[in-house]
Amino acid sequence: LMLIDMLPRQYAQRLMNTSIKRAGGGQRKKAIVLFSDLQGYTALNQTRNANDMAMVMHGLWCVFDALVQKHGMHKMDTVGDGFIVTGLVEDDDSNLVGQACGMVDLARDMIVALRDISAAVD
């Protein structure tokens, strides 16, 4: 279903109907996904020079990377001011609640870190 939201319908259908070799022996895995997007990033970007913004974002991503490790999650990507994290769920869902709680704890820690960095930047 995520493919349909991300790609034109005909491409998503083709990918879903085509046999694709997957990492992990071709098994589908369940995951919990966190996607963050920084509110006010575009406005901030317009008031800072590129070097300052690069330093701020690098510092923020380093803090977020450490938090991801602390909570046992997996960073998937950074896209502009977006940060994408997954937590893998066992096939039998035995760690579903733990991963969900861990992801919520990660999100809370990210908010605290962002507040701290925002206060330092202002």
Side-chain angles (χ1 to χ4, degrees):
L1 292 176
M2 235 166 70
L3 284 176
I4 292 172
D5 292 336
M6 295 170 53
L7 299 172
R9 190 177 231 21
Q10 70 269 23
Y11 297 120
Q13 289 294 337
R14 184 172 168 199
L15 284 172
M16 290 187 304
N17 294 331
T18 304
S19 177
I20 300 172
K21 185 174 180 163
R22 294 179 177 89
Q27 299 174 9
R28 293 176 189 236
K29 295 288 182 183
K30 297 177 188 177
I32 295 172
V33 179
L34 177 138
F35 178 82
S36 68
D37 184 69
L38 301 178
Q39 180 180 359
Y41 173 79
T42 302
L44 180 64
N45 207 8
Q46 293 171 350
T47 64
R48 304 266 194 247
N49 70 48
N51 192 43
D52 288 347
M53 280 306 296
M55 295 299 289
V56 168
M57 295 309 293
H58 175 73
L60 180 61
W61 292 160
C62 287
V63 170
F64 281 9
D65 286 344
L67 292 172
V68 167
Q69 291 297 313
K70 172 186 170 187
H71 290 282
M73 301 298 166
H74 306 280
K75 175 178 153 184
M76 297 302 294
D77 204 356
T78 54
V79 181
D81 64 322
F83 195 83
I84 305 167
V85 179
T86 61
L88 297 178
V89 177
E90 298 295 333
D91 290 337
D92 64 0
D93 293 341
S94 60
N95 69 337
L96 177 63
V97 171
Q99 288 292 75
C101 290
M103 193 66 82
V104 170
D105 290 342
L106 169 61
R108 287 182 183 143
D109 285 351
M110 289 169 71
I111 291 168
V112 169
L114 185 57
R115 285 182 183 152
D116 292 345
I117 289 172
S118 292
V121 169
D122 288 341

